Amino acid sequence: MEKGHLEDLPSYNSAIRPWPLRNRRGPRRIIRFLAPLCLLFFGYYTYLISQNTAHPTNNLSITKLQEQHASCAELRRVPTGPVGPRSFSGRWVNGTKPVLIRNATVWTGEPAPGTSEEDARRGIGYSWTPSDVLLDRGLIVQVAEHISASSLPEGTVTYDAKGRQLTAGIVDMHSHAGLGGFASLGDDTNELSGDITPYVKSIDGFNPLAPELQWIKAGGVTTSLILPGSGNNMGGEAFVLKLASGKASGRAEISQQDMFADPSPARWRYMKMACGENPKNVYGKIGKGPFSRLGEAWEFRHAFDEARKYVEAQNDWCAAADRVGAENMADYLPSELQWESLAAALRGQVRVNTHCYTVPDLEAFVRHTNEFKFRVYAFHHAHQTYLVPEVLKRAYGGTPAAALFADNMYYKVEAYTASEKAGKILYDEGIQPVYVSDNPVLNSRHVVFEAAKAYSYGLPYHIALAGVTSKPAELLGLGESLGKVKEGFDADIVVWDSDPLSIAATPVQVWIDGAPQFEKPVELKKSLSKPTKPDTILQEDLTRKENGNVIFTGLTRDFLSANDIETTARGKVNVVVANGAISCVGTCDDEVKTFTANKQPIIELHNGHLTPTFTAIGSALGLVEIDAEKATQDGPYSEDSFARAIDGLGFGGKQLSTVFEHGGTRAISAPSTGSINAKGISVGFLTDGITSLGNGSVWQEEVALHYPLTQSSKSPSISSALGKLRTKLLQASKPLKKKDQKEVDPFSEESYLRQVVAGKLPLVLSIHKADTIASVIRMKKEVETASSKAELTSSKSKSKKLRIVILGGAESYLVADELAAANVSVILAPLLPYAQSWDQRRTLPGAPLTHGSAIDLLLDAGVLVAIGVGEVWETRNLNLMAGWAWRNGEGRLSEKKALDLVGKNIYDMLDLKAPSAKTDWAVWDGSPLDIGSRLRGIGSAGRTTIWI
Ligand SMILES: *[C@@H]1O[C@H](CO)[C@@H](O)[C@H](O)[C@H]1NC(C)=O
Ligand SMILES: *[C@@H]1O[C@H](CO)[C@@H](O)[C@H](O)[C@H]1NC(C)=O
Ligand SMILES: *[C@@H]1O[C@H](CO)[C@@H](O)[C@H](O)[C@H]1NC(C)=O
Ligand SMILES: *[C@@H]1O[C@H](CO)[C@@H](O)[C@H](O)[C@H]1NC(C)=O
Ligand SMILES: *[C@@H]1O[C@H](CO)[C@@H](O)[C@H](O)[C@H]1NC(C)=O
């Protein structure tokens, strides 16, 4: 709140008690008579005050009145974060050894001094610079090209960064870490006793022992804004915490208080609010209301109005106490605990952060800021902000930032009008995008990956990196202590094994307040790589076109053919597509001449990559359009009926078109509502298909038989579900009597089970838990033994093996050898799980915490592995997930083999024919396995789409 506003407030006279002396105009005699009494009275009065006792006429405690008067200064104070120069950080734990990080390549977080604002906006002036960095007393004390050994404080520990990239600790300004409970056991995210709970505090539910804190830190995240959930219009106070807890993290104790990023009692406060569907759904659906956005706006305005009245009453009291003295007040300072935090927000002491997606929500909230004169610092989720920058600019007190996901969208109707280009568009409009996790919605550990994708989608490189470091720090009011590698800033540092905006970048060490966070961090074998050279071409928009004939020039890698061109024709390599099929890869001189003469499109690439297209498996793509909207879905699988996905398939949605634009031309989906849990027969189809009737839109009507065996699917227990499945399979392995054969409905569950037992149809089981996988391996043997016995008696020759695929597989690495021995394959869905449920609790997090992650151990054991997805939106990142497995696989996978994880391997494990290399291909500028590549052409069953 602006200072002027406080001074403009009307006075509130009734709070002032009339002066005890009346008859001031009375006869002198009276005055003379009263004078000695007055003296006596004042003597007594002074005595009372000195004794801190009650006021003589109204019994109010003078001490309390004076204390309250003193607190008026506190009410008027506007906080500042820590500002330099500081000789030590308030968070410093005495005994933390000084650290010299030698030979790092440093990104400071701000442009070089003297850079014009215009240049900085374009990302000019930022750089990666060779530097040493000295940490002491919880601060960065020196950043210089060479810090001489003789100048070091006593006891300094030297860390050799070996030339690698160093940034400030990552700041995630939207996280619920520590509130949700490990494996979703226990949840303190939302206080759902009412819609307006500005008075609750996230810190009261925060668990400093939450295992996820360690994981998140393993992604370089050192500071998080821990927000209450978005179930309420006013969700409560939030806190900025550093993710160091207990002695192992260099702290003196395990405590919530010890984690405050700013330990000063005068620190900034924060509050979470939320607009739109969530409060409506939480309260409207149970008949309490608000039922609509109309009601929500009223809830907001009513609460702000109560807080405003409260602020005014307090201000009037303080003004009166200033005038007449606290001891002369007839009442205490108004105090209503319920409105204290919201009043502080109106006083400008609380940084309001609001979950708001849509234009009506954003605009209503901007109206609230103007009506009640408070500032909203960021809109979170904010998927429609890119459409209405002018609306944001009308907000009171300054334009709010947009706290975004890079490409997690379409999951609810509010997120259905979202754009991957939002960050770039907002930035061009002068609005700062920052990237957040909303942990556990995304794993906060990978919030840097969001910034990396934002760069790929057109946001300037340095601005994207600032979007998870310096910019969120500034929005939290901590821009002078966090988010930059600068003298006087907090010693929160990450040394990365590669550019943080490259695929799968992993910290090799993290410091918080100068204390190393990992005792023996596992370092991946990666050769030293230079920082990314920002490519401004990513900022240019491309237009999608259908065109059967096209030439791509400048091919550098070919992962489609048997041999990569690196080992064959080096030099000028072109790809010629004629009538929808690849007709030449090489110099192709004749074709180039003809195409040029016929004015066919020629697309020039700088670093062309030719790859197979990808196949999305594991999600309900094609059966679910908007995850949170039943009306857009085929519907859930049923316990007591049996379904084929082809019968519920829907073409033409945004989800399908998006995965297509990211290189996924094919999908395999089974009846489900969006998670990996599925039951029934899956279908294989084209993401650019038209209907299930024509033109090869469905390329495989029946792919596999699916059953769910995860924690979230159990009904009533995993053991009973497994038992039921075993019984069904054993039943199906009994030969049918001749007369019964024609009675069997070919589309019945029984009929498909018979195909499974005969080894003709794969069985896909959704499982995360190692023990359940072990049970399935036992069951496989039991069924195979039974069926071979049955076959012997029916005098058939060869015994059949069940073809089983595990979908999910978070804990599958624990039975890797057994899976290999039983010839059971695994589709990891997702590739990077994070113990979201109890049956995933032994998820292997990988470096710097563990040697390898699930995929590495499965590959080592010789298990056939593919990468699937858990949620529909993830289908747009198939290439990047393959890139992740490749980059962090320490040589286990070639690039071609990595691409097989989202293609060929799926076909191998499901016994399907892989798409033809002639008609199904993708051409990229840049490697699709890394950040910064773009799809420029794709062939899908002979149809060609290009981007020019
Ligand atoms: C002050 O307290 C006394 C004793 O409790 C009570 O009798 C008296 O009425 C009080 N006076 C006022 C003004 O409240
Ligand atoms: C840190 O601790 C040492 C040893 O206990 C003590 O001598 C020193 O004064 C302390 N420094 C500060 C700044 O408190
Ligand atoms: C810094 O690291 C690089 C890469 O490991 C190395 O080549 C160089 O010699 C190192 N420089 C110094 C000063 O140690
Ligand atoms: C099949 O493709 C042809 C040519 O592209 C088109 O004219 C026709 O409408 C399509 N049929 C269906 C059923 O989609
Ligand atoms: C193992 O399974 C694959 C398909 O998943 C199949 O092609 C292969 O023949 C099987 N091998 C054995 C030894 O059963």
Side-chain angles (χ1 to χ4, degrees), residues 780 801 803-805 822-825 864 908-911:
K780 181 175 187 283
K801 298 270 189 213
R803 189 182 278 268
I804 295 185
V805 175
N823 201 24
V824 171
S825 357
L864 182 59
D908 287 351
M909 63 179 69
L910 295 170
D911 199 19

Side-chain angles (χ1 to χ4, degrees), residues 390-468:
E390 309 75 22
V391 170
L392 266 60
K393 287 174 191 170
R394 288 203 288 271
Y396 178 85
T399 305
L404 300 168
F405 301 140
D407 56 8
N408 181 359
M409 46 187 67
Y410 304 170
Y411 45 86
K412 61 200 293 197
V413 70
E414 294 178 326
Y416 198 56
T417 315
S419 168
E420 291 165 350
K421 294 228 161 284
K424 177 196 186 295
I425 295 168
L426 286 164
Y427 187 70
D428 288 346
E429 287 288 342
I431 293 172
Q432 179 65 45
V434 296
Y435 291 87
V436 297
S437 69
D438 192 10
N439 188 85
V441 172
L442 300 180
N443 184 354
S444 179
R445 178 180 181 185
H446 300 312
V447 73
V448 163
F449 183 47
E450 294 304 294
K453 287 186 285 182
Y455 159 63
S456 248
Y457 294 133
L459 187 64
Y461 170 91
H462 296 285
I463 306 308
L465 192 46
V468 285

Side-chain angles (χ1 to χ4, degrees), residues 110-121 124-126 486:
E110 64 181 14
T115 307
S116 74
E117 204 169 309
E118 183 52 31
D119 278 353
R121 279 192 48 73
I124 298 169
Y126 291 89
K486 220 179 149 179

Side-chain angles (χ1 to χ4, degrees), residues 610-723:
L610 178 60
T611 71
T613 62
F614 315 136
T615 298
I617 186 164
S619 76
L621 199 62
L623 298 166
V624 166
E625 182 61 9
I626 302 176
D627 308 60
E629 295 294 334
K630 288 204 177 79
T632 70
Q633 304 171 0
D634 172 48
Y637 65 81
S638 145
E639 279 298 316
D640 33 55
S641 68
F642 190 78
R644 299 159 80 231
I646 189 174
D647 297 332
L649 198 55
F651 287 97
K654 277 166 93 162
Q655 301 275 19
L656 289 175
S657 144
T658 304
V659 59
F660 179 81
E661 290 178 352
H662 285 262
T665 56
R666 292 177 164 217
I668 296 169
S669 297
S672 92
T673 43
S675 73
I676 61 165
N677 293 328
K679 184 189 158 199
I681 296 291
S682 48
V683 60
F685 61 100
L686 298 180
T687 55
D688 64 337
I690 301 154
T691 72
S692 61
L693 290 177
N695 291 1
S697 293
V698 168
W699 47 267
Q700 185 81 19
E701 283 197 23
E702 295 174 349
V703 171
L705 175 59
H706 295 243
Y707 290 99
L709 290 168
T710 64
Q711 193 75 23
S712 57
S713 72
K714 65 176 181 183
S715 146
S717 64
I718 290 177
S719 53
S720 64
L722 199 104

Side-chain angles (χ1 to χ4, degrees), residues 63-130:
T63 315
K64 186 169 167 184
L65 287 168
Q66 286 169 333
E67 277 169 9
Q68 290 186 330
H69 190 201
S71 77
C72 289
E74 206 44 37
L75 295 178
R76 292 170 182 142
R77 181 187 59 82
V78 174
T80 55
V83 280
R86 295 176 289 161
S87 56
F88 61 91
S89 154
R91 287 184 46 86
W92 177 55
V93 174
N94 190 354
T96 309
K97 291 202 175 104
V99 179
L100 173 68
I101 304 174
R102 275 189 59 247
N103 197 13
T105 304
V106 174
W107 190 79
T108 61
E110 64 181 14
T115 307
S116 74
E117 204 169 309
E118 183 52 31
D119 278 353
R121 279 192 48 73
R122 305 207 322 268
I124 298 169
Y126 291 89
S127 62
W128 285 97
T129 318

Side-chain angles (χ1 to χ4, degrees), residues 573-595:
V573 181
N574 303 314
V575 181
V576 179
V577 177
N579 299 318
I582 291 181
S583 66
C584 175
V585 178
T587 47
C588 316
D589 294 327
D590 293 346
E591 286 89 344
V592 173
K593 261 184 224 141
T594 324
F595 271 58

Side-chain angles (χ1 to χ4, degrees), residues 364-581:
F365 205 85
V366 164
R367 281 197 293 273
H368 302 330
T369 68
N370 284 296
E371 187 175 352
F372 295 96
K373 307 266 182 288
F374 69 95
R375 181 167 171 191
V376 55
Y377 282 80
F379 283 120
H380 292 240
H381 297 292
H383 272 317
Q384 290 186 3
T385 48
Y386 77 100
L387 296 169
V388 290
E390 309 75 22
V391 170
L392 266 60
K393 287 174 191 170
R394 288 203 288 271
Y396 178 85
T399 305
L404 300 168
F405 301 140
D407 56 8
N408 181 359
M409 46 187 67
Y410 304 170
Y411 45 86
K412 61 200 293 197
V413 70
E414 294 178 326
Y416 198 56
T417 315
S419 168
E420 291 165 350
K421 294 228 161 284
K424 177 196 186 295
I425 295 168
L426 286 164
Y427 187 70
D428 288 346
E429 287 288 342
I431 293 172
Q432 179 65 45
V434 296
Y435 291 87
V436 297
S437 69
D438 192 10
N439 188 85
V441 172
L442 300 180
N443 184 354
S444 179
R445 178 180 181 185
H446 300 312
V447 73
V448 163
F449 183 47
E450 294 304 294
K453 287 186 285 182
Y455 159 63
S456 248
Y457 294 133
L459 187 64
Y461 170 91
H462 296 285
I463 306 308
L465 192 46
V468 285
T469 51
S470 52
K471 292 303 170 187
E474 282 165 23
L475 287 165
L476 296 172
L478 299 170
E480 295 294 312
S481 60
L482 298 180
K484 291 181 185 173
V485 183
K486 220 179 149 179
E487 284 162 28
F489 275 57
D490 285 12
D492 299 345
I493 298 288
V494 187
V495 173
W496 301 87
D497 66 5
S498 49
D499 183 292
L501 297 194
S502 65
I503 193 73
T506 304
V508 291
Q509 184 55 285
V510 175
W511 290 262
I512 293 182
D513 304 309
Q517 297 299 302
F518 302 111
E519 201 190 332
K520 284 184 186 146
V522 172
E523 227 173 87
L524 290 165
K525 285 182 224 111
K526 285 188 193 174
S527 52
L528 181 72
S529 55
K530 289 212 171 75
T532 303
K533 198 166 156 277
D535 192 350
T536 50
I537 210 160
L538 296 169
Q539 296 166 25
E540 287 166 22
D541 285 329
L542 298 171
T543 312
R544 177 174 167 168
K545 257 179 89 172
E546 307 272 320
N547 203 318
N549 300 309
V550 58
I551 291 184
F552 302 94
T553 68
L555 198 70
T556 58
R557 304 296 300 272
D558 177 2
F559 299 127
L560 188 66
S561 319
N563 295 312
D564 190 351
I565 46 177
E566 284 218 320
T567 58
T568 58
R570 283 179 182 274
K572 201 163 174 283
V573 181
N574 303 314
V575 181
V576 179
V577 177
N579 299 318

